[in-house]
PDB file of all heavy atoms in Angstrom:
ATOM      1  N   CYS K 151      15.930   8.537 -16.825  1.00 91.00           N
ATOM      2  CA  CYS K 151      16.091   9.935 -16.541  1.00 91.00           C
ATOM      3  C   CYS K 151      15.527  10.268 -15.142  1.00 91.00           C
ATOM      4  O   CYS K 151      14.688   9.584 -14.683  1.00 91.00           O
ATOM      5  CB  CYS K 151      15.425  10.825 -17.609  1.00 91.00           C
ATOM      6  SG  CYS K 151      13.694  10.959 -17.486  1.00 91.00           S
ATOM      7  N   LYS K 152      16.082  11.302 -14.548  1.00 95.00           N
ATOM      8  CA  LYS K 152      15.660  11.711 -13.191  1.00 95.00           C
ATOM      9  C   LYS K 152      14.953  13.055 -13.341  1.00 95.00           C
ATOM     10  O   LYS K 152      15.545  13.976 -13.612  1.00 95.00           O
ATOM     11  CB  LYS K 152      16.891  11.882 -12.294  1.00 95.00           C
ATOM     12  CG  LYS K 152      17.856  10.807 -12.289  1.00 95.00           C
ATOM     13  CD  LYS K 152      17.464   9.629 -11.419  1.00 95.00           C
ATOM     14  CE  LYS K 152      18.494   8.501 -11.532  1.00 95.00           C
ATOM     15  NZ  LYS K 152      18.635   7.744 -10.399  1.00 95.00           N
ATOM     16  N   PRO K 153      13.597  13.085 -13.090  1.00 95.00           N
ATOM     17  CA  PRO K 153      12.880  14.321 -13.191  1.00 95.00           C
ATOM     18  C   PRO K 153      13.359  15.257 -12.092  1.00 95.00           C
ATOM     19  O   PRO K 153      13.457  14.879 -10.912  1.00 95.00           O
ATOM     20  CB  PRO K 153      11.449  13.965 -12.946  1.00 95.00           C
ATOM     21  CG  PRO K 153      11.398  12.474 -13.118  1.00 95.00           C
ATOM     22  CD  PRO K 153      12.676  11.948 -12.760  1.00 95.00           C
ATOM     23  N   LEU K 154      13.646  16.481 -12.445  1.00 97.00           N
ATOM     24  CA  LEU K 154      14.138  17.519 -11.480  1.00 97.00           C
ATOM     25  C   LEU K 154      13.078  18.579 -11.211  1.00 97.00           C
ATOM     26  O   LEU K 154      12.884  18.989 -10.067  1.00 97.00           O
ATOM     27  CB  LEU K 154      15.388  18.206 -11.996  1.00 97.00           C
ATOM     28  CG  LEU K 154      16.571  17.279 -12.395  1.00 97.00           C
ATOM     29  CD1 LEU K 154      17.705  18.124 -13.004  1.00 97.00           C
ATOM     30  CD2 LEU K 154      17.061  16.549 -11.128  1.00 97.00           C
ATOM     31  N   LEU K 155      12.431  19.020 -12.245  1.00 97.00           N
ATOM     32  CA  LEU K 155      11.402  20.054 -12.137  1.00 97.00           C
ATOM     33  C   LEU K 155      10.235  19.706 -13.101  1.00 97.00           C
ATOM     34  O   LEU K 155      10.541  19.479 -14.307  1.00 97.00           O
ATOM     35  CB  LEU K 155      12.021  21.392 -12.557  1.00 97.00           C
ATOM     36  CG  LEU K 155      11.073  22.625 -12.716  1.00 97.00           C
ATOM     37  CD1 LEU K 155      10.617  23.014 -11.336  1.00 97.00           C
ATOM     38  CD2 LEU K 155      11.799  23.778 -13.361  1.00 97.00           C
ATOM     39  N   VAL K 156       9.051  19.639 -12.600  1.00 96.00           N
ATOM     40  CA  VAL K 156       7.966  19.185 -13.459  1.00 96.00           C
ATOM     41  C   VAL K 156       6.801  20.170 -13.353  1.00 96.00           C
ATOM     42  O   VAL K 156       6.560  20.767 -12.359  1.00 96.00           O
ATOM     43  CB  VAL K 156       7.434  17.742 -13.112  1.00 96.00           C
ATOM     44  CG1 VAL K 156       8.559  16.731 -13.136  1.00 96.00           C
ATOM     45  CG2 VAL K 156       6.750  17.710 -11.742  1.00 96.00           C
ATOM     46  N   LEU K 157       6.137  20.315 -14.491  1.00 97.00           N
ATOM     47  CA  LEU K 157       4.945  21.210 -14.576  1.00 97.00           C
ATOM     48  C   LEU K 157       3.725  20.461 -15.127  1.00 97.00           C
ATOM     49  O   LEU K 157       3.830  19.924 -16.247  1.00 97.00           O
ATOM     50  CB  LEU K 157       5.330  22.415 -15.420  1.00 97.00           C
ATOM     51  CG  LEU K 157       4.200  23.439 -15.686  1.00 97.00           C
ATOM     52  CD1 LEU K 157       3.608  23.987 -14.340  1.00 97.00           C
ATOM     53  CD2 LEU K 157       4.676  24.628 -16.475  1.00 97.00           C
ATOM     54  N   ASP K 158       2.703  20.417 -14.329  1.00 96.00           N
ATOM     55  CA  ASP K 158       1.501  19.666 -14.785  1.00 96.00           C
ATOM     56  C   ASP K 158       0.766  20.550 -15.807  1.00 96.00           C
ATOM     57  O   ASP K 158       0.298  21.686 -15.570  1.00 96.00           O
ATOM     58  CB  ASP K 158       0.633  19.539 -13.517  1.00 96.00           C
ATOM     59  CG  ASP K 158      -0.479  18.504 -13.756  1.00 96.00           C
ATOM     60  OD1 ASP K 158      -0.908  18.313 -14.934  1.00 96.00           O
ATOM     61  OD2 ASP K 158      -1.046  17.967 -12.763  1.00 96.00           O
ATOM     62  N   MET K 159       0.596  19.978 -17.051  1.00 96.00           N
ATOM     63  CA  MET K 159      -0.079  20.733 -18.091  1.00 96.00           C
ATOM     64  C   MET K 159      -1.404  20.073 -18.374  1.00 96.00           C
ATOM     65  O   MET K 159      -2.014  20.436 -19.432  1.00 96.00           O
ATOM     66  CB  MET K 159       0.787  20.765 -19.346  1.00 96.00           C
ATOM     67  CG  MET K 159       2.073  21.606 -19.173  1.00 96.00           C
ATOM     68  SD  MET K 159       1.830  23.320 -18.553  1.00 96.00           S
ATOM     69  CE  MET K 159       0.678  23.963 -19.745  1.00 96.00           C
ATOM     70  N   TRP K 160      -1.965  19.197 -17.583  1.00 96.00           N
ATOM     71  CA  TRP K 160      -3.327  18.703 -17.697  1.00 96.00           C
ATOM     72  C   TRP K 160      -4.217  19.918 -17.396  1.00 96.00           C
ATOM     73  O   TRP K 160      -3.943  20.825 -16.550  1.00 96.00           O
ATOM     74  CB  TRP K 160      -3.625  17.632 -16.651  1.00 96.00           C
ATOM     75  CG  TRP K 160      -3.055  16.285 -16.953  1.00 96.00           C
ATOM     76  CD1 TRP K 160      -1.765  16.002 -17.189  1.00 96.00           C
ATOM     77  CD2 TRP K 160      -3.764  15.074 -17.004  1.00 96.00           C
ATOM     78  NE1 TRP K 160      -1.671  14.640 -17.393  1.00 96.00           N
ATOM     79  CE2 TRP K 160      -2.828  14.053 -17.279  1.00 96.00           C
ATOM     80  CE3 TRP K 160      -5.167  14.743 -16.821  1.00 96.00           C
ATOM     81  CZ2 TRP K 160      -3.203  12.721 -17.432  1.00 96.00           C
ATOM     82  CZ3 TRP K 160      -5.487  13.364 -16.934  1.00 96.00           C
ATOM     83  CH2 TRP K 160      -4.546  12.425 -17.252  1.00 96.00           C
ATOM     84  N   GLU K 161      -5.415  19.954 -18.097  1.00 95.00           N
ATOM     85  CA  GLU K 161      -6.265  21.152 -17.853  1.00 95.00           C
ATOM     86  C   GLU K 161      -6.705  21.269 -16.465  1.00 95.00           C
ATOM     87  O   GLU K 161      -6.886  22.421 -15.920  1.00 95.00           O
ATOM     88  CB  GLU K 161      -7.518  21.019 -18.750  1.00 95.00           C
ATOM     89  CG  GLU K 161      -7.250  21.506 -20.162  1.00 95.00           C
ATOM     90  CD  GLU K 161      -8.521  21.602 -21.038  1.00 95.00           C
ATOM     91  OE1 GLU K 161      -9.613  21.129 -20.564  1.00 95.00           O
ATOM     92  OE2 GLU K 161      -8.412  22.119 -22.123  1.00 95.00           O
ATOM     93  N   HIS K 162      -6.833  20.187 -15.707  1.00 95.00           N
ATOM     94  CA  HIS K 162      -7.294  20.234 -14.307  1.00 95.00           C
ATOM     95  C   HIS K 162      -6.276  21.072 -13.461  1.00 95.00           C
ATOM     96  O   HIS K 162      -6.646  21.549 -12.401  1.00 95.00           O
ATOM     97  CB  HIS K 162      -7.502  18.826 -13.727  1.00 95.00           C
ATOM     98  CG  HIS K 162      -6.298  18.001 -13.460  1.00 95.00           C
ATOM     99  ND1 HIS K 162      -6.154  16.749 -13.876  1.00 95.00           N
ATOM    100  CD2 HIS K 162      -5.119  18.308 -12.890  1.00 95.00           C
ATOM    101  CE1 HIS K 162      -4.963  16.260 -13.536  1.00 95.00           C
ATOM    102  NE2 HIS K 162      -4.310  17.162 -12.869  1.00 95.00           N
ATOM    103  N   SER K 163      -5.060  21.201 -13.959  1.00 96.00           N
ATOM    104  CA  SER K 163      -4.057  21.868 -13.152  1.00 96.00           C
ATOM    105  C   SER K 163      -4.183  23.384 -13.245  1.00 96.00           C
ATOM    106  O   SER K 163      -3.616  24.070 -12.427  1.00 96.00           O
ATOM    107  CB  SER K 163      -2.665  21.451 -13.669  1.00 96.00           C
ATOM    108  OG  SER K 163      -1.686  21.954 -12.844  1.00 96.00           O
ATOM    109  N   TYR K 164      -4.880  23.897 -14.253  1.00 97.00           N
ATOM    110  CA  TYR K 164      -4.981  25.366 -14.371  1.00 97.00           C
ATOM    111  C   TYR K 164      -6.266  25.927 -14.819  1.00 97.00           C
ATOM    112  O   TYR K 164      -6.525  27.129 -14.769  1.00 97.00           O
ATOM    113  CB  TYR K 164      -3.868  25.879 -15.406  1.00 97.00           C
ATOM    114  CG  TYR K 164      -4.008  25.276 -16.808  1.00 97.00           C
ATOM    115  CD1 TYR K 164      -4.832  25.864 -17.706  1.00 97.00           C
ATOM    116  CD2 TYR K 164      -3.359  24.100 -17.126  1.00 97.00           C
ATOM    117  CE1 TYR K 164      -4.990  25.347 -18.980  1.00 97.00           C
ATOM    118  CE2 TYR K 164      -3.466  23.553 -18.374  1.00 97.00           C
ATOM    119  CZ  TYR K 164      -4.329  24.141 -19.310  1.00 97.00           C
ATOM    120  OH  TYR K 164      -4.441  23.621 -20.553  1.00 97.00           O
TER     121      TYR K 164
END
Side-chain angles (χ1 to χ4, degrees):
C151 79
K152 315 277 181 152
L154 302 175
L155 173 70
V156 304
L157 176 57
D158 193 338
M159 295 307 303
W160 284 55
E161 277 189 352
H162 70 229
S163 187
Y164 59 88

